[in-house]
Structures are given as C-alpha cells and as structure tokens.
Amino acid sequence: MFLFRMTLFILLSAAAASAEPLADMAGTWSGSGWARETVTGPQETLRCQLSNHYDPAERTLTLAGQCIVPGRRLSIAGILSSTEGSARITGQWTNPDGVGRARVVGIQRDKIVAFNFSALDPQTGRQVAQNIEWRIAGDALRLRATDRNNPDRMMADISFAR
C-alpha cells in the first residue's frame, strides 16, 4: 500500500516541461491507468481527478485530487514552485494516508519532467525507490514510473486529459 501511495504522491507532484511547466498543469485533469504496490505485485487499475491552480506571480501550482482503486479512495494535495531560468521544480506534498508530508524535487527538459524518489515504508521499514517521468502533449499528460533498482520494471502508467 505504501508504494502505491508513493506512486500517487509522485503522480500529483510532477509538472510538465515547457516555458511555464507548472502553468501547463493548471486546470482539471482526469486520468486512468494502472499502478503496482510492489515490484512483484499485481497491476491495480486506478482513476484520478486533479484540480490544479497556478499563481503566475509566485510561480506556484497548488494541486488537489483523489485517486480511486478498487475498494479505496485516496486524497492527495501539494504545492510546487519553480524559479525563473531554472530547470528545477521544488515543493511539498501531503498524503495523509501514506507518507505524510514530503519534499519534492524534479528536473524539467523540453516536454519532460524526470525525477526519482526514495522513502522508507513506515509499515514495513523497507526502502522504496522509483524513477518518474511525465510527458505533456497539448491537453494530454502521461506518467510512467519504474523501479529505481530495476528500471526495466514498470510501476505505473497513467494517462490524463483535460
């Protein structure tokens, strides 16, 4: 469950790359796809709704959303910021059902944002790590996640539309 929640955390923490990557994430997004909780676990179908607001003066995106998997609904929220002229995105993410509050850092290039994370599962004590990539094309956004120790092993694939 922790890894699945971390994937959702990453899903909403990322931003699409462009001249104003966080601004491109503003609006209402609906997505569906799959994620797995562990490297050897089954793929779980999920649906997500995001409602994002961008403040151009602060270069900050405020995110709020929910993801639904069979039998569960997870609420998620965050704040992401960029600095003019920098490829770096930073912020804080809150997931009350999983990791609590976590720091977010990413790199943006062209239409891609790529980053990785590492966190300790509070229930099992095991280290969880993933590579995350977001791609944006017009009103479409796609998240793909792989296991950091085995990059050939997909952990999530979710497509969003406005």
Side-chain angles (χ1 to χ4, degrees), residues 39-158:
V39 175
T40 58
Q43 294 179 0
E44 291 187 83
T45 301
L46 60 83
R47 293 176 305 151
C48 298
Q49 287 282 338
L50 306 176
S51 180
N52 303 334
H53 172 75
Y54 181 71
D55 180 342
E58 298 292 322
R59 301 178 64 90
T60 298
L61 180 71
T62 303
L63 303 103
Q66 290 190 340
C67 289
I68 299 170
V69 296
R72 299 189 302 269
R73 181 182 302 255
L74 304 168
S75 296
I76 36 191
I79 297 174
L80 301 172
S81 300
S82 65
T83 303
E84 191 170 353
S86 173
R88 186 175 175 173
I89 295 172
T90 61
Q92 291 288 321
W93 187 253
T94 303
N95 180 344
D97 298 322
V99 298
R101 185 174 293 231
R103 182 168 165 76
V104 174
V105 178
I107 300 297
Q108 50 190 325
R109 292 200 174 103
D110 300 321
K111 299 285 184 186
I112 298 171
V113 169
F115 60 93
N116 57 50
F117 79 91
S118 182
L120 192 63
D121 182 332
Q123 293 177 354
T124 66
R126 73 181 159 89
Q127 194 68 28
V128 177
Q130 289 187 4
N131 301 312
I132 309 299
E133 179 184 277
W134 281 84
R135 290 182 184 260
I136 191 162
D139 285 337
L141 187 61
R142 185 175 185 190
L143 166 86
R144 297 188 67 175
T146 61
D147 180 65
R148 207 162 141 195
N149 297 320
N150 181 2
D152 293 331
R153 184 65 170 164
M154 290 295 301
M155 298 302 293
D157 191 352
I158 305 163

